[in-house]
Amino acid sequence: QKEVEQNSGPLSVPEGAIASLNCTYSDRGSQSFFWYRQYSGKSPELIMSIYSNGDKEDGRFTAQLNKASQYVSLLIRDSQPSDSATYLCAVNVGGTNAGKSTFGDGTTLTVKP
Amino acid sequence: EAQVTQNPRYLITVTGKKLTVTCSQNMNHEYMSWYRQDPGLGLRQIYYSMNVEVTDKGDVPEGYKVSRKEKRNFPLILESPSPNQTSLYFCASSLSGLGGPYEQYFGPGTRLTVT
């Protein structure tokens, strides 16, 4: 089992729809969680970070964390063509492996006008 | 401007010829890390450094070396490159806490081809 798994893509949604991206992780002790966006040919950039159970909203983006289910998701409301990118879920285990940062393989999102 | 820089951006080399990819950040971040990105495999961590003179292996450290003599620099060394090290490499830096790194800032990437 991979340490961080993302729903397989590609994911295609129409403009204005809600895009839902999912991520599960295997280490129950994981402490911090991140979503990065990566445009083709570019480097990743942070969208959201989340550290405690529940929802965290930032504009059109909402991150949801459920540590009991070892699940983190990203919702993009009112999706725009400019949201078309690959979204990477990243998990930090913390503790004795505090510097270890594990990324999922990414989900490619296409928003169609 | 706050940034992470990598050099070179593109490099074509031959098997066995030692090379160094430099990484520098101007944000006074304690944490720095190297990743490689291959199609379908996402970002895989090679090495990371929690602070000066402290480095540790990530998931794919074989064939790579790093050093952290200064806070701002974290070079990646391939002492004897092989074709399976052909990849896109990213350096990243961040502030860090007990739970590990916070938001990571990535460099522009170095595309390495080993023939």
Side-chain angles (χ1 to χ4, degrees), chain A residues 5-6 9 22 29 31 35 38 45 49-50 67 73-74 77 80 88 90 98-99 102 104 106 109:
Chain A
E5 293 203 55
Q6 296 185 234
N22 302 315
Q31 298 188 18
W35 283 100
Q38 186 177 24
E45 56 181 353
S49 60
I50 187 165
K67 289 187 177 180
S73 67
L74 179 70
R77 290 182 301 281
Q80 300 297 307
L88 301 167
T102 304
L109 171 67

Side-chain angles (χ1 to χ4, degrees), chain A residues 2-3 31-32 34 36 38 41-46 51 88 92-106, chain B residues 31 35 37 40-43 45 48 50 56-59 88 90 97-109:
Chain A
K2 283 190 171 183
E3 292 182 49
Q31 298 188 18
S32 47
F34 306 86
Y36 289 85
Q38 186 177 24
K42 301 294 186 182
S43 49
E45 56 181 353
L46 184 79
Y51 302 95
L88 301 167
N92 293 345
V93 174
T96 54
N97 291 314
K100 194 165 181 290
S101 188
T102 304
F103 284 74
D105 291 347
Chain B
Y31 179 91
Y35 299 89
Q37 187 171 38
L41 293 178
L43 280 169
Q45 192 174 42
Y48 62 89
M50 296 294 287
D56 218 332
K57 295 178 181 179
D59 291 322
L88 177 59
F90 287 104
L98 291 176
Y102 298 129
E103 170 187 6
Q104 293 186 61
Y105 293 83
F106 286 83

Side-chain angles (χ1 to χ4, degrees), chain B residues 23-38:
Chain B
C23 174
S24 182
Q25 51 94 5
N26 62 1
M27 294 170 279
N28 202 34
H29 287 163
E30 305 93 10
Y31 179 91
M32 296 186 76
S33 183
W34 276 103
Y35 299 89
R36 61 178 289 174
Q37 187 171 38
D38 303 289

Side-chain angles (χ1 to χ4, degrees), chain A residues 28-90:
Chain A
R28 191 169 285 279
S30 298
Q31 298 188 18
S32 47
F33 308 85
F34 306 86
W35 283 100
Y36 289 85
R37 176 176 63 196
Q38 186 177 24
Y39 291 115
S40 181
K42 301 294 186 182
S43 49
E45 56 181 353
L46 184 79
I47 297 294
M48 296 279 284
S49 60
I50 187 165
Y51 302 95
S52 54
N53 280 329
D55 295 358
K56 179 181 178 183
E57 188 174 316
D58 184 1
R60 296 186 296 111
F61 299 93
T62 299
Q64 300 173 316
L65 175 61
N66 184 326
K67 289 187 177 180
S69 299
Q70 296 174 237
Y71 174 92
V72 58
S73 67
L74 179 70
L75 297 177
I76 307 174
R77 290 182 301 281
D78 189 23
S79 296
Q80 300 297 307
S82 58
D83 294 326
S84 298
T86 296
Y87 289 80
L88 301 167
C89 173

